Amino acid sequence: MITDFPEAPLPLLDGTETTAELAEFGGDPVIPKGLRRTVFPVITKEDTFHMLRSQRSSPEKVVEEFAERYRSYVGAHSALPVASGTASLHMALVGAGVMPGDEVIVPAFTFIATAQAVVAAKAVPVFVDIDPHTYCMAPERAEAAITERTKAIMPVHVHGLPADVPALRGVCERNGTVLVEDASHAHSAGIGDSMCGSLGTAAGQSLMADKNFPLGGEGGIAFFSSDEAHQRAVSCLARNGIDYRMSWIVASFGTSQLQRLGYYDAIRARNAAELSRALDETGLFTPPYVPEGYTHSYNMYRIGLRPEAVGLEDLPVWKVKEAVHELLVAEGVPAREWQNTPIPCHLPFTHRHGFGNGYPFTLNPEAARDHTPQDFPVVRAMLESTLVLCRELRSPVEHERLQRYAAAFRKIAKRPDAIRTLVNERNYPRPPHQEAARLG
């Protein structure tokens, strides 16, 4: 029988891990091979029993039950369960009143679905730079991009940190636009007592299986602040014959998983806090920034580099990043890049074929601009100087594993000489944004 149960427990730290030779240079890795896999989501007998019981109800009722429970949890006015995160963003935009040819301001750093959903709504995405601390949309950049055809601003709560919604809401109020959230990373994240998904006119959220709140496969949900916005989205589906229905199997799994979401959130917050303390001690690495009063859900955990803190300021930061990436992976830490160039530099937005013959970009040619990475200096600088952990802070990640992640960062920070050696030997050819666009 195939099982996801670990083959063996991770050994406890014995104190020698941070002073041993780096694995890249022949030493033992901090996390041994064969013990590196993390499993998520957790599937329990309660999930199985709930899905079996759900077969006694109609598919529509199962989906409605899930949507209502999750809507109540988020605190939104109304909800529309759909088949994917992209579908949820599409419906959020339609519900907010976005029409063909309208402009929707989106951040240049996000997953490509954010901008693709704007095209699905037959509108034109207008890309802006991000805040250098939060990596979310910069409100001043959004306001500078507004034209008479701007209908919506769509910030992304990237990696699970809420965007500066108070400032962006002010931008919308001053300019007569609506705020639509991309909350696909932000399950249980929020500002004060308000949860992401309930902060704007509408919101879209992915519920696919690798998110912090996982459903059984692909799924999404759109939230609305009024009956009018909700009805707009529902009418669009009926009028155009679009089948975005959520599977009852997906919804059933989500209903039972929702009961454990608070536990997942607490474990992830604890793990993030402990790892952040460890990174602060290294000098080389910096943890994510979280403004006062914000709840970060850590769908991803982005780590910054400070080469100057360890005497590597003479090296290009992107080369230091490449070397550190190699060293971390060799130690068993699954660090990733997660995007290598701004979204407007990906093929759908450089070629702009759209639905054919350039539609919907042809509806508003002035808004359809050619971009290079140099147009978004903050995004480019972030991509050159940061790495990401994706699933490695979630339950059921063992505490021993988290301690070993921290030990690996400490181990590498103690060896700037090894980083310099890799940079010199590998001769990394080009910054990430000069390579072919990659997702994830």
Side-chain angles (χ1 to χ4, degrees), residues 275-352:
L275 186 56
S276 293
R277 285 191 293 269
L279 294 184
D280 274 330
E281 297 169 359
T282 66
L284 175 60
F285 299 105
T286 60
Y289 167 74
V290 184
E292 186 71 27
Y294 282 52
T295 299
H296 196 320
S297 64
Y298 298 105
N299 183 74
M300 298 182 190
Y301 183 96
R302 187 166 286 273
I303 299 158
L305 291 170
R306 295 190 302 172
E308 68 278 6
V310 292
L312 298 175
E313 62 272 14
D314 59 307
L315 299 177
V317 67
W318 63 269
K319 291 191 176 185
V320 174
K321 186 200 83 166
E322 295 289 350
V324 167
H325 189 195
E326 285 193 46
L327 294 172
L328 283 169
V329 171
E331 297 295 341
V333 178
R336 294 176 57 187
E337 189 176 53
W338 204 80
Q339 312 302 332
N340 72 312
T341 197
I343 291 301
C345 301
H346 286 246
L347 289 177
F349 308 106
T350 57
H351 291 182
R352 295 194 292 274

Side-chain angles (χ1 to χ4, degrees), residues 159-192:
H159 298 345
L161 177 65
D164 190 349
V165 171
L168 289 165
R169 191 181 288 126
V171 172
C172 289
E173 291 171 355
R174 287 191 296 273
N175 294 278
T177 59
V178 295
L179 184 72
V180 179
E181 303 170 72
D182 182 342
S184 294
H185 287 183
H187 314 83
S188 301
I191 303 174

Side-chain angles (χ1 to χ4, degrees), residues 179-253:
L179 184 72
V180 179
E181 303 170 72
D182 182 342
S184 294
H185 287 183
H187 314 83
S188 301
I191 303 174
D193 296 328
S194 298
M195 195 172 289
C196 293
S198 69
L199 304 176
T201 298
Q205 187 173 76
S206 171
L207 298 171
M208 68 180 295
D210 75 340
K211 293 294 192 292
N212 287 343
F213 178 34
L215 273 62
E218 281 285 353
I221 192 164
F223 297 112
F224 306 96
S225 63
S226 67
D227 290 334
E228 179 185 13
H230 180 265
Q231 187 55 47
R232 234 187 250 120
V234 172
S235 297
C236 172
L237 294 177
R239 184 172 62 253
N240 293 285
I242 300 172
D243 185 0
Y244 274 166
R245 286 177 295 178
M246 176 182 283
S247 160
W248 74 267
I249 297 174
V250 166
S252 176
F253 187 70

Side-chain angles (χ1 to χ4, degrees), residues 84-103:
S84 70
T86 307
S88 75
L89 294 169
H90 179 191
M91 288 299 97
L93 290 162
V94 170
V98 171
M99 299 292 289
D102 284 346
E103 295 170 20

Side-chain angles (χ1 to χ4, degrees), residues 48-61:
T48 303
F49 291 159
H50 184 78
M51 293 181 72
L52 291 173
R53 288 196 301 268
S54 294
Q55 293 183 78
R56 298 182 178 182
S57 300
S58 68
E60 293 78 12
K61 184 175 180 180

